[in-house]
Amino acid sequence: MRTHPKRLSDAGISEARYEELKAICRQYRGMRRAMDRARAGIVDRDGTRGAWHRPDPTGSAAIALAGHPYARRMKLIEESAAKVAEPVVAAALLRNVSEGWDYDLLRPPCGRRQFYVIRQLFFIELDRALWSE
């Protein structure tokens, strides 16, 4: 039977908060897709309903970068991964937490135990970043 990791408990992250952080990370791929669509001008960001308008890629990119609701959250996830791991490991970490890939499929340049310690540190850093938001 698995128990809640002590490192997370010491950082003040309860089991419910840990599940919430994992759920936020699982949304990363969808947020990335929505941001790409907004940059391409495919998505109507202002919420108005009406006639279709020709996409404006330049304006869409500016609006998406400046105020899209997903932009900040994606940045926090990426920055948290970059703070706790080297770039190669951070890429594997992002794939693990966002898409659920197992360590064996990712083959990061570190051991299994080190990878999961880095993963716990990632969630601690992400929790701090979200609370300071």
Side-chain angles (χ1 to χ4, degrees):
M1 181 171 110
R2 290 189 169 176
T3 60
H4 187 62
K6 183 172 179 356
R7 183 176 283 113
L8 295 179
S9 296
D10 292 345
I13 300 175
S14 66
E15 290 182 48
R17 178 64 176 170
Y18 182 49
E19 291 299 321
E20 182 182 354
L21 292 170
K22 289 194 300 188
I24 289 169
C25 291
R26 296 285 177 185
Q27 297 170 11
Y28 178 81
R29 189 173 177 192
M31 289 187 278
R32 169 70 62 197
R33 189 176 310 118
M35 286 294 293
D36 291 343
R37 291 174 57 87
R39 284 190 182 102
I42 297 171
V43 178
D44 183 23
R45 292 150 321 280
D46 62 4
T48 60
R49 297 173 191 232
W52 178 86
H53 299 286
R54 184 178 326 142
D56 177 16
T58 306
S60 296
I63 290 171
L65 291 174
H68 198 283
Y70 292 150
R72 176 79 175 136
R73 190 158 279 188
M74 285 175 40
K75 185 177 178 184
L76 289 176
I77 292 171
E78 291 166 358
E79 287 176 351
S80 296
K83 281 184 183 177
V84 299
E86 296 295 321
V88 176
V89 178
L93 178 65
L94 279 175
R95 193 153 245 188
N96 174 266
V97 299
S98 66
E99 298 176 32
W101 284 40
D102 192 37
Y103 170 83
D104 296 324
L105 293 173
L106 294 169
R107 296 184 183 204
C110 63
R112 175 185 293 272
R113 193 164 192 216
Q114 290 85 3
F115 181 76
Y116 285 106
V117 166
I118 291 170
R119 185 175 188 267
Q120 289 176 3
L121 294 174
F122 163 78
F123 282 115
I124 292 169
E125 183 61 37
L126 180 62
D127 185 56
R128 286 184 192 144
L130 287 170
W131 277 113
S132 66
E133 182 178 35

